[in-house]
Amino acid sequence: MRALWLHYPDDPKAVACPDEYLWGRDILVAPVVEKGARSRRIYLPCGAWYDFWMREKAEVGRQYTRPLDLETIPLYVRAGAILPLGPVKQYTEEHVDQPLSLSIYPGADASFLLYEDDGRSFNYRKDEWMGLHLDWNDAQRTITLRLAPGSRLLPPLRRNLDVNLLNAEKHVVFDGHPIEVTF
């Protein structure tokens, strides 16, 4: 959790916003703390943002009111973010058949390192870890997936991935060789 003023110290509205925060650098959380609230005033700092639930670009640089329901908390994702969203697991070693989802929010170039180890030992100290390096080129609408230097593909040796760009989705299989997905 990060206060808005840590990333937007020159934005007086962000500095004065005590009830919103960033989850990492890419997700803005606007918690609802008022019982029975039907709307929430939200401030989005400079740059482009997307409503996480609607996958639509949101207005920025001003406060606005968003309607609320009981099922969702207002979340916004910074343009240029890559969010890996895995299937739900009850414990680290649980086997799941669903693919990993990579959600890309266009508007800026992005880079992300997805780290994985066996989840139960210290073998990562023996170079038994996998890093999946993701590079989004916004102008070309292309994401490149490759193993990070010093890492190796861990079992399973073929990874099913759903790559999402807003409302477009492509299914790919990563087997350790670099691949490029264009939208």
Side-chain angles (χ1 to χ4, degrees), residues 55-163:
R55 294 187 176 215
E56 296 173 350
K57 204 168 198 178
E59 294 183 45
V60 299
R62 68 174 187 88
Q63 286 191 340
Y64 69 99
T65 302
R66 181 190 196 279
L68 298 174
D69 60 46
L70 291 174
E71 291 135 6
T72 56
I73 185 170
L75 299 174
Y76 294 87
V77 183
R78 184 181 59 80
I82 301 171
L83 293 183
L85 301 170
V88 174
K89 289 183 172 186
Q90 300 301 316
Y91 52 94
T92 58
E93 293 183 72
E94 181 181 17
H95 176 73
V96 293
D97 291 328
Q98 295 88 8
L100 176 70
S101 176
L102 301 173
S103 294
I104 303 165
Y105 293 85
D109 290 344
S111 182
F112 190 87
L113 177 65
L114 182 63
Y115 173 87
E116 186 178 316
D117 60 27
D118 66 13
R120 65 180 183 277
S121 73
F122 293 105
N123 287 345
Y124 67 91
R125 293 177 181 168
K126 300 174 188 172
D127 292 333
E128 292 183 29
W129 63 280
M130 184 180 88
L132 183 56
H133 191 78
L134 313 167
D135 281 310
W136 169 250
N137 183 313
D138 198 60
Q140 296 178 3
R141 312 282 279 183
T142 300
I143 187 165
T144 304
L145 297 82
R146 60 179 160 58
L147 280 175
S151 75
R152 64 184 184 88
L153 191 62
L154 296 177
L157 299 180
R158 295 174 54 87
R159 305 293 170 107
N160 291 315
L161 305 166
D162 287 334
V163 182

Side-chain angles (χ1 to χ4, degrees), residues 166-181:
L166 299 179
N167 293 318
E169 180 176 280
K170 294 194 177 185
H171 182 78
V172 297
V173 177
F174 182 74
D175 62 2
H177 296 92
I179 58 175
E180 197 170 89
V181 180

